[in-house]
Amino acid sequence: MGAHVTRTDFEWSTSDEPHASRRKEILEKYPQIKKLFGSDPNFKWIVTLMITLQIAMIFVVPRFPWPLVIGLAYCFGGVINHSLMLAIHEISHNLAFGHARPMANRVLGMIANLPIGIPFSVSFKKYHLEHHRYQGDEILDTDIPTTLEAKLFCTTFGKVVWMFLQPLFYALRPLFVRPLPPSMTEIINVVIQLSFDFAVYYFLGAKALVYLLAGSLLAMGIHPVAGHFISEHYMFAKGFETYSYYGPLNWITFNVGYHNEHHDFPAVPGSRLPQVKAIAPEYYENLPHHNSWVKVLYDFIMDPAIGPYARVKRRNQSKVLKEE
């Protein structure tokens, strides 16, 4: 089973999350950062190209043997689908068409969702924006593993299993921790996605659908691009709750690795986040950061000091007031 993790609880904090105060301080010193706010005009074309490439692939993969289909799903399709997931992350902040065109952003999100195979674009937005606003909140931040997850997957082998099951926990955790009634747009997202999946299976066969679904699921588990799930907020240095990654995989993930910069300025599109760091280097260069997502995955699994408990958590203020 391997070494048992040394932590037996989350890192509880009584201070506010660090990003709002740092944002205010940086903007007072560097007001020109506001010029970076807004949508990226090239973003929608990049997303369209990735969608087109995956649609083309599902016409090709049915000719291949199953081992090659799965291999392509892990090495190629999964990378594109994971990049599309991160495109949906950008879209959740209205960075495709700007805040003045929310429906255009939602429609692009649902279209970008199609090759991924699992309907999540609309639901992701409502939970993700709460993660930004209430980072570390024991109830409102559903990005944090549950206590049950932390207790069950508390050994080296357990962390490997948890990583393989990451897609399951990522999708289902919000439904158990903070269930919210589905909106009509969410229902539309589900209907469109399931219709697309059925059409792929009916007209192109099982291999085409498995290529899409397996790519999405495999690339969310033990996969280099999935390293960002761990690198962003798991506590590799005591007291620090957000970490940036400055490695080459930012090129295919819309710079999601610039995560401190993103949380400080969620209105800045990923393509411009390196400029935030360049304008205000003294605020980021001395923060702990990562240079390899592969190393992040290895350290998370092998280091007993790191595991699902290695997250900064805060008491929910409504809960505290009720107790008082």
Side-chain angles (χ1 to χ4, degrees):
M1 299 295 286
H4 200 284
V5 295
T6 56
R7 296 192 65 92
T8 57
D9 197 1
F10 297 99
E11 183 79 5
W12 290 92
S13 174
T14 56
S15 63
D16 293 335
E17 58 85 17
H19 301 289
S21 58
R22 187 161 61 219
R23 179 187 311 123
K24 181 180 179 181
E25 186 176 333
I26 291 175
L27 285 177
E28 286 176 354
K29 190 173 182 180
Y30 300 108
Q32 65 267 37
I33 284 181
K34 289 183 179 180
K35 295 180 181 178
L36 303 177
F37 292 6
S39 60
D40 177 355
N42 296 319
F43 175 80
K44 58 183 176 291
W45 303 118
I46 297 170
V47 172
T48 301
L49 178 62
M50 291 192 295
I51 296 168
T52 304
L53 186 54
Q54 282 294 74
I55 297 299
M57 284 298 294
I58 61 176
F59 284 90
V60 175
V61 293
R63 308 172 191 172
F64 300 150
W66 277 108
L68 183 55
V69 172
I70 301 302
L72 280 170
Y74 183 86
C75 298
F76 182 74
V79 175
I80 296 176
N81 278 3
H82 202 97
S83 187
L84 284 171
M85 292 178 193
L86 294 170
I88 289 171
H89 167 255
E90 289 275 292
I91 293 166
S92 74
H93 292 284
N94 291 326
L95 296 174
F97 295 99
H99 291 283
R101 299 178 64 190
M103 187 52 66
N105 286 287
R106 288 195 174 191
V107 170
L108 181 60
M110 285 188 264
I111 296 172
N113 199 155
L114 295 177
I116 296 167
I118 304 162
F120 84 102
S121 175
V122 178
S123 300
F124 172 80
K125 176 173 181 172
K126 64 183 181 183
Y127 287 110
H128 181 67
L129 296 184
E130 285 190 337
H131 161 66
H132 271 265
R133 185 174 297 175
Y134 307 108
Q135 182 174 307
D137 187 288
E138 61 182 328
I139 295 175
L140 301 177
D141 188 356
T142 59
D143 187 66
I144 299 173
T146 62
T147 302
L148 181 61
E149 289 172 65
K151 287 182 176 179
L152 287 177
F153 305 102
C154 57
T155 64
T156 301
F157 177 73
K159 288 189 282 185
V160 171
V161 174
W162 185 77
M163 285 298 303
F164 273 115
L165 296 177
Q166 175 92 317
L168 183 66
F169 291 120
Y170 199 76
L172 297 181
R173 187 189 300 131
L175 304 181
F176 287 95
V177 174
R178 182 163 165 73
L180 297 171
S183 65
M184 181 54 66
T185 317
E186 283 179 273
I187 295 170
I188 292 170
N189 185 193
V190 171
V191 171
I192 290 173
Q193 186 63 59
L194 295 182
S195 300
F196 175 82
D197 292 348
F198 176 78
V200 170
Y201 178 78
Y202 184 81
F203 291 107
L204 298 172
K207 287 181 180 178
L209 184 59
V210 168
Y211 165 78
L212 295 177
L213 289 171
S216 298
L217 297 174
L218 291 171
M220 288 181 72
I222 298 184
H223 192 290
V225 293
H228 77 90
F229 286 126
I230 303 300
S231 74
E232 291 169 357
H233 296 292
Y234 284 83
M235 196 172 61
F236 283 77
K238 187 172 177 61
F240 292 90
E241 57 189 285
T242 306
Y243 300 78
S244 288
Y245 155 81
Y246 299 127
L249 290 178
N250 276 313
W251 301 339
I252 57 172
T253 55
F254 299 100
N255 283 326
V256 73
Y258 285 78
H259 216 65
N260 265 303
E261 294 85 345
H262 168 63
H263 269 263
D264 288 353
F265 298 101
V268 175
S271 60
R272 299 176 197 148
L273 287 175
Q275 295 180 57
V276 172
K277 182 173 182 283
I279 291 170
E282 69 272 26
Y283 288 94
Y284 300 106
E285 289 181 347
N286 294 323
L287 292 176
H289 63 271
H290 302 289
N291 294 308
S292 168
W293 278 337
V294 173
K295 187 176 186 301
V296 164
L297 294 176
Y298 177 84
D299 289 344
F300 178 82
I301 291 169
M302 301 304 294
D303 189 344
I306 308 170
Y309 270 134
R311 291 290 297 262
V312 173
K313 211 169 181 181
R314 295 176 173 84
R315 295 294 307 279
N316 177 266
Q317 290 305 304
S318 297
K319 188 176 177 180
V320 170
L321 290 173
K322 285 181 181 179
E323 290 175 355
E324 293 176 350

